[in-house]
């Protein structure tokens, strides 16, 4: 199945890559200087940096990430990111983010 590319925050798009009720795989593509707004959700999230450079803030702690780096975001943690060099994040959510469908 193919899922549409959806604009999210300015300079950011989202595309579901695969999903079932237990898990979802999503690509987020960022332009340089784009931001993923601070937010939280009940899902556990794993983020993998396919390309680009990002600073993530998770519950007030900053994490600088580049290609090949990854980060776990616990359920309910307030988090967001800033993209310093255009790139793509591959995020896994458990359970599935039904709000993305």
């Amino acid at each position: 199945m193919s899922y549409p590319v959806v604009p999210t925050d300015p300079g950011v798009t989202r595309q579901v890559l695969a999903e079932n009720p237990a898990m979802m795989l999503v690509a987020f593509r960022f332009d340089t200087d784009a931001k993923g707004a601070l937010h939280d959700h009940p899902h556990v999230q794993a983020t993998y940096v396919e390309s680009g450079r990002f600073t993530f803030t998770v519950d007030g702690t900053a994490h600088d990430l580049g290609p090949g780096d990854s980060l776990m975001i616990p359920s309910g943690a307030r988090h967001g990111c800033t993209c310093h060099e255009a790139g793509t994040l591959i995020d896994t959510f458990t359970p599935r983010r039904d709000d993305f469908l």
Side-chain angles (χ1 to χ4, degrees), residues 48-56 63-70 89:
Y48 172 77
V49 181
E50 180 179 80
S51 61
R53 299 209 68 78
F54 297 83
T55 298
F56 276 83
H63 306 271
D64 292 323
L65 303 176
D69 291 337
S70 58
L89 302 174

Side-chain angles (χ1 to χ4, degrees), residues 9 28 30 35-43 45 47 56-59 73-74 76-81 91 93 97 99-100:
D9 296 306
F28 287 90
F30 284 76
K35 296 183 185 298
L38 282 173
H39 64 286
D40 59 75
H41 45 72
H43 313 82
Q45 176 179 339
T47 296
F56 276 83
T57 302
V58 181
D59 281 341
I73 301 170
R78 190 130 178 94
H79 62 283
C81 69
D91 288 355
F93 298 93
R97 293 280 308 252
D99 55 320
F100 286 3

